[in-house]
């Protein structure tokens, strides 16, 4: 289980050179949730939402196929590069 996969909204401040490399034409929040949900051994993500449209947007991720391990590794490599 994970908590705060959207970093209390800070996910919206990720650099575009990272988020542009994440697959799919989805919102930043959806990409963040998809990354976390695709991580092996993660079975649930706790997300706080205040608006109904955020609930709908986040629930849409449930229907997406998980990203493959090479995609996750590429994103991790981009996150940790110095």
């Amino acid at each position: 289980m994970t908590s705060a996969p959207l970093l209390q909204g800070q996910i919206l401040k990720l650099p575009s050179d990272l988020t542009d490399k994440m697959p799919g034409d989805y919102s930043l929040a959806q990409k963040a949730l998809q990354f976390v949900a695709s991580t092996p051994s993660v079975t649930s993500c706790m997300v706080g939402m205040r608006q109904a449209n955020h609930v709908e947007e986040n629930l849409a991720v449930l229907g997406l196929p998980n990203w493959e391990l090479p995609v996750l590794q590429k994103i991790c490599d981009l996150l940790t590069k110095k």
Side-chain angles (χ1 to χ4, degrees):
M1 179 184 304
T2 65
S3 178
L6 301 180
L7 304 172
Q8 283 80 32
Q10 296 299 311
I11 198 73
L12 301 176
K13 297 178 184 177
L14 285 176
S16 62
D17 63 327
L18 170 64
T19 58
D20 289 347
K21 291 179 175 58
M22 293 178 164
D25 187 26
Y26 310 112
S27 72
L28 293 177
Q30 288 174 318
K31 287 181 176 186
L33 288 174
Q34 182 64 359
F35 175 79
V36 172
S38 297
T39 302
S41 299
V42 171
T43 58
S44 63
C45 304
M46 296 188 315
V47 181
M49 297 161 276
R50 294 183 186 182
Q51 299 177 6
N53 64 319
H54 292 162
V55 174
E56 293 170 6
E57 179 182 9
N58 293 343
L59 285 175
V61 174
L62 294 175
L64 301 176
N66 283 347
W67 289 342
E68 299 293 326
L69 286 177
V71 172
L72 296 174
Q73 186 61 56
K74 182 178 179 181
I75 295 167
C76 288
D77 291 345
L78 289 168
L79 284 168
T80 58
K81 77 176 186 178
K82 307 263 182 214

